[in-house]
Amino acid sequence: MSAIAREVKRVTTHQLQEMKNRGEKISMLTAYDFSMGKIFDEAGIDILLVGDSASNVIAGHETTLPITLDQMIYHASSVIRAVRRALVVVDLPFGSYQGNSSEALRSAIRIMKESGAHSVKLEGGIEIKDSIIRILSAGVPVMGHLGLTPQSIYKFGTYAVRATEEDEANKLIEDAHFLQSLGCFAIVLEKIPSELATRVAKELTIPIIGIGAGGGVDGQVLVSHDMLGINKEFQPRFLRVYANLYDTMSGAVKNYIQDVKSNDFPNQEECY
Ligand code: KIV
């Protein structure tokens, strides 16, 4: 096969916009390493998010707050080495962009330069305006994130559904319009009533990606460890579990242990 025939067309922010325009839903999953990145990319996922949920599902922390910029860059560069087609978005971790816009720009540039990622995601609305403007002005595409923003968990005090009250819903609608006017290429809406998310997706021209935000938005994102059934403890209502990898992996490991203990492994064919 020639190099040209093997060339895969990369998903761009422009193509995501075209998908919204023609009503084609956008698929997005989290990935944190080379092997998972390769499987998801070759399966045809549109967007891979190197999420700060790595802090939970990879490092075992209770929240997303402890993960560092260096750790995010390590995960992102591992994913990038595997990906041929998907657009790769990387979360700016807690503490790397809220302080001031110069620091936000420095953090975004480090991610782009050191990992080779294609865009960054920031949590928040009008309160992080200066950071978003600064990052966009350097030519780095920005994805917004509103609703349940896990980096603010100690402000919320709970992971319950957000924006169920009118004031918070109005602020979310205002923030979504504001992020679009700044130039964000898409927005994630997490764990909000589906009616509200549908309204935002209808009012805005940019793609709206939901997680626990119903089916009226332009695309869906899930944490891969949750939808693959690796992490069995987290089973919110919005999650659809597509595999039971915990049991599959556990079964394989138990069989291996048994084969080692019984001297069944390695056999003649498995020796030099
Ligand atoms: O970090 C993450 O996994 C996320 C998704 C929940 C959207 O931000």
Side-chain angles (χ1 to χ4, degrees), residues 97-248:
Y97 63 96
Q98 294 95 341
N100 66 63
S101 61
S102 310
E103 193 186 357
L105 178 61
R106 253 195 315 277
S107 303
I109 286 180
R110 278 202 61 203
I111 285 179
M112 301 297 283
K113 238 187 200 324
E114 295 177 37
S115 76
H118 312 130
S119 57
V120 296
K121 176 162 81 60
L122 282 73
E123 293 183 7
I126 195 153
E127 60 283 357
I128 54 159
K129 158 180 129 228
D130 294 340
S131 296
I132 294 177
I133 292 173
R134 200 77 185 264
I135 295 170
L136 285 168
S137 72
V140 177
V142 172
M143 178 180 270
H145 184 155
L146 299 170
L148 176 64
T149 47
Q151 292 179 12
S152 304
I153 186 58
Y154 290 118
K155 183 177 94 182
F156 298 147
T158 151
Y159 286 102
V161 182
R162 301 304 313 173
T164 52
E165 303 293 329
E166 199 178 337
D167 280 0
E168 196 179 333
N170 287 338
K171 158 97 167 92
L172 186 142
I173 294 166
E174 216 176 289
D175 276 339
H177 280 276
F178 188 69
L179 292 181
Q180 174 172 275
S181 73
L182 290 181
C184 288
F185 73 87
I187 300 173
V188 166
L189 293 183
E190 180 166 354
K191 218 170 177 189
I192 63 168
S194 56
E195 206 177 306
L196 174 61
T198 303
R199 176 176 166 189
V200 173
K202 280 198 176 129
E203 285 185 13
L204 267 66
T205 55
I206 60 172
I208 303 300
I209 314 288
I211 172 165
V217 291
D218 307 305
Q220 299 293 327
V221 57
L222 286 174
V223 171
S224 50
H225 284 57
D226 300 339
M227 62 83 78
L228 291 173
I230 295 174
N231 171 22
K232 294 224 287 196
E233 282 100 58
F234 185 69
Q235 296 194 343
R237 175 172 157 171
F238 69 76
L239 176 66
R240 188 178 294 181
V241 181
Y242 286 85
N244 186 352
L245 290 196
Y246 182 97
D247 287 348
T248 304

Side-chain angles (χ1 to χ4, degrees), residues 62-81:
E62 217 173 279
T63 73
T64 58
L65 275 65
I67 200 160
T68 66
L69 185 58
D70 284 334
Q71 289 165 341
M72 289 303 296
I73 290 169
Y74 170 76
H75 288 298
S77 56
S78 308
V79 170
I80 277 287
R81 280 192 284 277

